[in-house]
Amino acid sequence: MNRKLLGLLMVAAGTQVSAQVTDAMIAGDATHPESVLSWGLGTQGQRFSPLTTINTSNVSKLAPVWSMSFGGEKQRGQESQPLVYKGKMFVTASYSRIFAIDVKTGEKLWKYEHRLPEGIMPCCDVVNRGAALYDNLVIFGTLDAQLVALDQNTGKVVWREKIDDYSAGYSYTAAPLIAEGLLLTGVSGGEFGVVGRVEARDPKTGKLVWSRPMVEGHMGYLNGKENGITGTTNASWPGETWKTGGAATWLGGTYDAKTGLAYFGTGNPGPWNSHVRKGDNLYSASTVAIDVKTGKIVWHYQGTPNDAWDFDGVNEFVTFDMDGKRVGGKADRNGFFYVIDATAGKLLNAFPFVKKTTWATSIDLKTGRPNFDPANRPGDPSAEGGDGKKGASVFAAPGFLGGKNQMPMAYSPKTKLFYVPTNEWGMEIWNEPISYKKGGAYLGAGFTIKPLFEDHIGSLRAIDPKTGNVAWEVKNSAPLWGGVLTTAGDLVFWGTPEGYLKAADAKTGKVLWQFQTGSGVVAPPITWKDGNDQYVSVVSGWGGAVPLWGGEVAKKVNFLEQGGSVWTFKLPKS
Ligand code: CA
């Protein structure tokens, strides 16, 4: 064999290796619908597919192709978004499980069940929201705060790294984000006085590259060296409170190649009782933009300074173009929708996306700060004239489960609308004295969540980010807890706790199709293309925070059955 031919053969063999998931493929994920490589169908998180095979004229014929059960006795909440690559679907399940499935037949190829220790402390059910793909690996986080990378073909563990100590309340539930050749993750545990942070690792080895704490006063690291303190110690936290300040980055992040920034939302400051930590408590309840290359904070926007209502600002920051500018939209748990300049962090627009927001009357667009109603802050238990055990109770809306929670919204560049899964509820909330104890709940608050309307809690709303106008809404009796998908076929897909996967006309909200999956849907649907066929998939399995924390709402949904399965649909052959 001549040298030239040998060289060509070697190049051909080499393409086998480079056919694995690359940075370029992840960067092009949103516009290459033959695979789904990231949470959000592209790192921007728009959840918009350019596919039009399934559209408003034929979606009524959509039919199941296969369903696969996660099996076992382990059910509970299934909040996972599947990934699809080269004929395989990768889907995580409750109790830190992951499955590889043949996308054509639904046949299970392999599964991995992470061995969980006793004493894990997930606040809000034993959920997982999805995996990340890189090279030949599929990577996901576990309830005992570890990252596990498995071979996509065999399911064998390639590397495993500890994020933090589960006995201190750390866990992991978000889908990791891959950006610029780095694996970006956060932490869960905001109810246990952990310190929220964002970390970047080498996705091939799990080796830590940088770490950026989300609470002022803590040191960041880059390549094993100190990389500057986050903020200024004690600038917005009194005394030692910053040491257990929360701000957990439990929903992961998004990334926009046009700005080079990763956007992570941060959770509530610890403890919930705001009187023991007077100040803004940066960077809790914020959107934080991080330079992926350096691990430095470029800008931040805080939705709820000195949060007193558990308004985790973790909600996804979804970038899009508006008036020739790169901006981001965020439907915050606190009930306000924010439009922010994605490059510089300037607030451009803010409006409520739920009917009742009692804690603030509006957002001042000049200063970016909320106009608080001071009477709606739960009282100080140590206030004069009190019994020292319980502060004044207030009725606040939204309730702490939020105008929107973990369920991701979608944005259509075609209709220029956001499709936001919203909930209308409020809560009685009061404060109690609290001190930090490692691994103990760090709240200092009591609460009961209540519906605001008789006929519905959930509502899928089509929202114009420029005006705040609601183009249409579809109400839902139970709280919405799954995410949304929109397509160039002018469709919006979403699931309900009552078990339906629904499709509506993206322009009018008219429901055109629905399918009963057999358990509640609390996960975001995906779509992809194989040959000439467009497929839609969604995970079904009722659970999550609502049945655990939902007070009077939990009673309203206790008839719903648990489950654990993936469903896949397509149009029948004509
Ligand atoms: Ca929280």
Side-chain angles (χ1 to χ4, degrees):
M1 192 185 293
N2 72 45
R3 265 167 191 269
K4 216 170 186 178
L5 184 59
L6 183 65
L8 282 172
L9 282 171
M10 283 172 74
V11 168
T15 55
Q16 192 102 40
V17 176
S18 64
Q20 301 305 329
V21 177
T22 62
D23 291 299
M25 288 161 70
I26 292 167
D29 190 23
T31 50
H32 290 82
E34 64 281 2
S35 53
V36 178
L37 302 177
S38 34
W39 194 79
L41 285 81
T43 62
Q44 276 177 263
Q46 288 190 348
R47 297 184 181 274
F48 171 80
S49 169
L51 293 173
T52 55
T53 308
I54 303 170
N55 54 55
T56 50
S57 70
N58 60 22
V59 69
S60 65
K61 299 192 187 84
L62 199 60
V65 184
W66 55 260
S67 170
M68 199 219 68
S69 171
F70 297 145
E73 292 166 12
K74 294 168 172 175
Q75 296 193 332
R76 308 275 295 265
Q78 312 291 355
E79 295 182 352
S80 178
Q81 182 217 292
L83 300 173
V84 174
Y85 179 60
K86 279 207 162 177
K88 290 189 188 73
M89 176 181 286
F90 301 94
V91 60
T92 61
S94 55
Y95 292 98
S96 305
R97 292 174 292 169
I98 183 165
F99 295 82
I101 303 167
D102 182 318
V103 283
K104 281 276 176 60
T105 63
E107 184 192 341
K108 182 180 75 183
L109 301 171
W110 55 257
K111 80 169 163 183
Y112 168 81
E113 294 197 52
H114 189 69
R115 188 192 280 192
L116 290 167
E118 302 257 335
I120 52 167
M121 281 180 273
C123 75
C124 308
D125 206 2
V126 286
V127 297
N128 186 281
R129 301 196 180 87
L133 298 177
Y134 195 78
D135 198 49
N136 64 328
L137 301 174
V138 53
I139 307 161
F140 82 118
T142 64
L143 293 164
D144 60 344
Q146 294 194 36
L147 287 165
V148 183
L150 308 114
D151 184 294
Q152 287 170 14
N153 289 316
T154 63
K156 290 232 164 71
V157 174
V158 175
W159 59 259
R160 188 180 320 188
E161 286 289 329
K162 182 171 152 180
I163 298 173
D164 214 312
D165 178 7
Y166 70 83
S167 70
Y170 286 92
S171 58
Y172 203 62
T173 54
L177 165 71
I178 306 267
E180 306 295 333
L182 292 169
L183 175 78
L184 302 179
T185 54
V187 296
S188 302
E191 271 55 60
F192 300 95
V194 304
V195 174
R197 62 181 191 261
V198 178
E199 288 180 340
R201 291 168 193 273
D202 179 341
K204 289 192 185 179
T205 62
K207 189 172 176 284
L208 192 66
V209 176
W210 57 254
S211 166
R212 174 51 53 193
M214 291 291 109
V215 180
E216 275 201 328
H218 294 270
M219 181 61 75
Y221 292 89
L222 174 65
N223 296 320
K225 295 197 182 90
E226 290 189 349
N227 189 30
I229 283 172
T230 294
T232 307
T233 312
N234 283 135
S236 64
W237 295 84
E240 308 275 283
T241 52
W242 59 280
K243 291 185 176 167
T244 50
T249 41
W250 60 262
L251 197 56
T254 55
Y255 172 74
D256 190 328
K258 287 199 179 154
T259 63
L261 301 175
Y263 305 94
F264 276 73
T266 60
N268 61 285
W272 285 20
N273 178 352
S274 65
H275 300 281
V276 301
R277 45 170 173 74
K278 289 196 165 69
D280 281 356
N281 312 135
L282 290 170
Y283 297 89
S284 68
S286 301
T287 301
V288 181
I290 304 171
D291 183 330
V292 169
K293 297 220 164 66
T294 63
K296 292 253 191 185
I297 295 172
V298 174
W299 60 259
H300 74 277
Y301 175 78
Q302 189 175 41
T304 318
N306 193 220
D307 164 53
W309 306 269
D310 189 35
F311 287 154
D312 293 49
V314 294
N315 308 88
E316 67 286 1
F317 184 79
V318 178
T319 53
F320 65 107
D321 293 318
M322 194 175 97
D323 300 331
K325 245 200 197 124
R326 197 65 151 180
V327 302
K330 173 167 167 173
D332 199 289
R333 195 146 135 183
N334 69 18
F336 286 91
F337 192 103
Y338 300 91
V339 180
I340 299 171
D341 182 316
T343 310
K346 188 185 179 320
L347 180 68
L348 302 172
N349 198 9
F351 50 84
F353 65 92
V354 289
K355 297 203 169 100
K356 201 166 178 177
T357 51
T358 59
W359 66 280
T361 52
S362 57
I363 309 300
D364 185 328
L365 291 181
K366 282 218 178 84
T367 63
R369 294 182 73 86
N371 292 310
F372 284 104
D373 175 1
N376 205 234
R377 181 174 291 274
D380 185 350
S382 65
E384 237 173 279
D387 63 2
K389 289 180 188 146
K390 185 178 172 182
S393 183
V394 299
F395 185 80
F400 70 93
L401 290 174
K404 182 171 136 344
N405 201 290
Q406 58 86 28
M407 55 287 194
M409 61 187 181
Y411 175 77
S412 168
K414 238 185 121 181
T415 63
K416 298 190 164 37
L417 295 171
F418 273 95
Y419 301 98
V420 187
T422 72
N423 289 314
E424 300 280 357
W425 42 23
M427 65 180 166
E428 292 289 342
I429 181 166
W430 60 91
N431 287 326
E432 294 161 358
I434 179 76
S435 52
Y436 175 79
K437 195 170 146 263
K438 185 191 167 190
Y442 192 47
L443 302 184
F447 42 83
T448 312
I449 205 155
K450 293 175 178 172
L452 292 175
F453 302 105
E454 281 283 308
D455 65 329
H456 75 287
I457 298 170
S459 171
L460 183 75
R461 296 203 171 119
I463 298 176
D464 182 338
K466 266 190 178 180
T467 61
N469 288 342
V470 176
W472 53 260
E473 71 172 324
V474 178
K475 290 177 183 171
N476 199 71
S477 174
L480 289 180
W481 208 256
V484 185
L485 165 74
T486 186
T487 72
D490 285 331
L491 291 170
V492 178
F493 290 88
W494 76 104
T496 70
E498 290 90 340
Y500 287 99
L501 178 64
K502 298 190 179 199
D505 185 318
K507 289 177 180 152
T508 65
K510 187 177 179 215
V511 176
L512 302 171
W513 173 83
Q514 62 179 26
F515 180 86
Q516 174 56 246
T517 64
S519 180
V521 178
V522 292
I526 59 163
T527 189
W528 81 95
K529 180 187 158 166
D530 194 314
N532 291 323
D533 288 320
Q534 181 185 351
Y535 291 80
V536 173
S537 292
V538 75
V539 167
S540 170
W542 169 239
V546 177
L548 297 174
W549 292 75
E552 288 182 18
V553 171
K555 280 180 230 156
K556 256 191 117 164
V557 295
N558 64 9
F559 70 96
L560 298 167
E561 301 293 351
Q562 295 187 4
S565 59
V566 202
W567 284 89
T568 291
F569 305 87
K570 76 179 179 90
L571 293 171
K573 287 222 157 51
S574 52

